[in-house]
Amino acid sequence: MIDARIEDRYRIAREVYAENGVDADGALRELKTVSLSLHCWQGDDVGGFERAGGELAGSGLQVTGSHPGKARTVAELQADLGEALALIPGSHRVNLHAIYGEFGSGAERNAIEPDHFRGWIEWAAPRASSSTSTPRASPTPWPRPASP
């Protein structure tokens, strides 16, 4: 049922784009030839996972860290990125910053080690491919349930 609704909405969108001179199917074919770099901070509004409930106070950035539905854990961010990668044609990369490691009770920046990213490496391994298709990840419930 959902797939039928998606197909119907895409058909309508394709017609609207065509009225404006855009070949939507052609754009998707072209997208398969483009490699995107998805930045990890797009999934959690630059909160990171160094410390639970981390904030960006005083950072000078124009993001708030309070995006509703933002990923609260590495697993949620991986699920969101997996969903995005599954929906965007092509072969893409994820740009991961140091604050997105799996730190457990925390780690000072000068103590970050490759093991803090072992879960990311394991997550990425089956997705690494030179093909233009990405395995579909389990969809993340939306909106996210309230924090426990």
Side-chain angles (χ1 to χ4, degrees):
M1 171 94 135
I2 290 175
D3 287 343
R5 285 190 288 180
I6 291 171
E7 289 293 329
D8 189 51
R9 289 175 182 159
Y10 178 66
R11 180 189 52 75
I12 293 167
R14 185 174 44 224
E15 291 170 5
V16 171
Y17 280 112
E19 290 170 5
N20 291 285
V22 175
D23 174 8
D25 291 330
L28 290 174
R29 281 190 301 278
E30 182 68 22
L31 182 57
K32 287 182 181 183
T33 69
V34 175
S35 181
L36 301 177
S37 180
L38 300 175
H39 293 266
C40 53
W41 57 263
Q42 292 171 309
D44 83 325
D45 212 9
V46 198
F49 303 115
E50 281 181 304
R51 288 164 185 70
E55 296 182 3
L56 295 171
S59 70
L61 296 173
Q62 294 297 312
V63 294
T64 64
S66 61
H67 163 64
K70 72 178 188 171
R72 300 166 296 192
T73 65
V74 170
E76 287 181 355
L77 184 56
Q78 288 171 340
D80 290 349
L81 288 168
E83 184 72 6
L85 291 169
L87 295 172
I88 304 169
S91 181
H92 310 297
R93 298 174 303 278
V94 171
N95 183 338
L96 195 63
H97 300 272
I99 63 173
Y100 291 90
E102 297 178 80
F103 301 110
S105 60
E108 294 300 320
R109 295 243 173 118
N110 64 352
I112 295 174
E113 298 182 1
D115 279 345
H116 290 117
F117 299 91
R118 180 73 43 217
W120 281 104
I121 294 166
E122 292 169 0
W123 174 83
R127 290 164 179 79
S129 172
S130 60
S131 73
T132 57
S133 63
T134 305
R136 185 166 177 80
S138 299
T140 304
W142 196 263
R144 290 194 197 289
S147 297

